[in-house]
Amino acid sequence: MSAYDETVRAQRAAANPQVSAFVAANAGAGKTRVLTDRVARLLLAGVRPDRILCITFTKAAAAEMAARLFSLLGEWALADDASLAAKLHDLDGGEGPRDFAEARRLFARALETPGGLKIQTIHSFCESVLKRFPLEAGVAPGFSVIEEAEAKALAHQAIDTVA
């Protein structure tokens, strides 16, 4: 088996929603593709888009993942049967079900999901939990998170006030 074939096999295994997986790899190794494929396979398996949560480290990674997922689903929506069959085979190696009509509907279903697909950074996810349970977390209800520049300005203002 070639190194490429082994990589594809490992990526398909990590994208299989039937197993737990932790994906860690260098930049450019295919982490975003694996996570995108995993979400696509969950959607193909009938999981509702509003029941899926993807957490990444950076806003750029979250945006990239969302763009790739919508691009993939959009391709499926417009593909003829032969092209769609090839795309689904590339996704799972031929292991998954082949309901072309359902695969084509996933793009619209993802777009129509209230609140959209949940592809967030760790920070935005934690913020959403804190906003939902502020008292349990010991924070004031209705709190807001300040940006780094604003935090620095407030720190300088406090130092100037004390000095």
Side-chain angles (χ1 to χ4, degrees):
M1 179 177 288
S2 73
Y4 174 78
D5 292 335
E6 180 59 27
T7 299
V8 169
R9 187 204 60 73
Q11 287 179 334
R12 280 186 184 144
N16 183 349
Q18 299 299 316
V19 298
S20 294
F22 180 86
V23 178
N26 294 330
K31 295 181 300 294
T32 302
R33 177 180 177 177
V34 167
L35 294 173
T36 301
D37 287 355
R38 189 173 178 95
V39 172
R41 289 174 70 173
L42 284 167
L43 293 170
L44 280 171
V47 175
R48 293 186 354 228
D50 64 334
R51 304 293 298 169
I52 298 171
L53 171 64
C54 303
I55 299 177
T56 67
F57 284 105
T58 66
K59 290 179 184 177
E64 176 68 19
M65 187 173 171
R68 285 191 195 188
L69 185 59
F70 279 108
S71 176
L72 179 71
L73 298 178
E75 289 174 13
W76 292 358
L78 301 174
D80 59 51
D81 285 353
S83 296
L84 183 55
K87 290 175 189 300
L88 294 177
H89 184 272
D90 286 346
L91 178 69
D92 64 14
E95 297 173 7
R98 297 293 178 248
D99 184 345
F100 291 167
E102 181 59 25
R104 288 186 178 103
R105 283 191 289 267
L106 291 176
F107 182 68
R109 188 168 297 137
L111 284 176
E112 295 168 354
T113 299
L117 285 171
K118 293 177 197 74
I119 301 175
Q120 302 175 309
T121 63
I122 293 170
H123 289 88
S124 65
F125 172 71
C126 291
E127 181 181 344
S128 70
V129 171
L130 290 173
K131 285 186 182 281
R132 188 166 178 188
F133 303 103
L135 299 177
E136 293 85 346
V139 297
F143 76 94
S144 64
V145 176
I146 61 174
E147 295 296 323
E148 187 175 342
E150 185 181 356
K152 285 182 180 179
L154 288 172
H156 287 301
Q157 182 182 3
I159 291 170
D160 290 344
T161 301
V162 173

